[in-house]
Amino acid sequence: MDQRVLLRRLRVHFLLLPLSEVAVLSDDRDPLPGTPREHWLVWQSLTKSAVTTRVPTDAGVLAGRLGLGRGAQGAAARAMLGELMAAIWQLRSV
């Protein structure tokens, strides 16, 4: 997603991977033991961090868990994440 921050364009990549789609090549069937398979792995490129959560979820809480700061870049990434979660909520409500 892109957003203008001050005089620059900020690009943040988000990866959302459903754990139910992850193939595990071992006896343990869970991709992340202790994490329900209906959760998703959410990664973003600004801080290069990932967490697991249900999707859609509260974007503000998710942004905090992902370590998105309070500065201009963090605020822009939070807004982008908010747009992304709103779009997912919209798709799920149809």
Side-chain angles (χ1 to χ4, degrees):
M1 299 183 80
D2 289 329
Q3 190 173 81
R4 203 162 271 301
V5 178
L6 301 175
L7 299 175
R8 299 181 318 149
R9 180 172 296 249
L10 175 66
R11 176 170 286 163
V12 179
H13 298 275
F14 293 96
L15 171 72
L16 288 87
L17 175 67
L19 294 180
S20 62
E21 298 294 320
V22 174
V24 179
L25 303 175
S26 70
D27 293 338
D28 188 6
R29 295 262 187 234
D30 293 329
L32 295 172
T35 304
R37 289 189 67 79
E38 60 269 3
H39 279 209
W40 291 53
L41 179 70
V42 180
W43 175 86
Q44 51 73 38
S45 62
L46 186 62
T47 62
K48 296 178 176 57
S49 61
V51 297
T52 58
T53 188
R54 292 183 183 271
V55 170
T57 190
D58 181 279
V61 172
L62 181 57
R65 291 183 58 210
L66 287 167
L68 299 175
R70 298 282 179 195
Q73 286 187 341
R78 285 172 180 271
M80 289 180 219
L81 188 58
E83 290 179 34
L84 180 60
M85 286 299 134
I88 294 170
W89 278 107
Q90 184 71 25
L91 286 172
R92 293 269 175 107
S93 67
V94 174

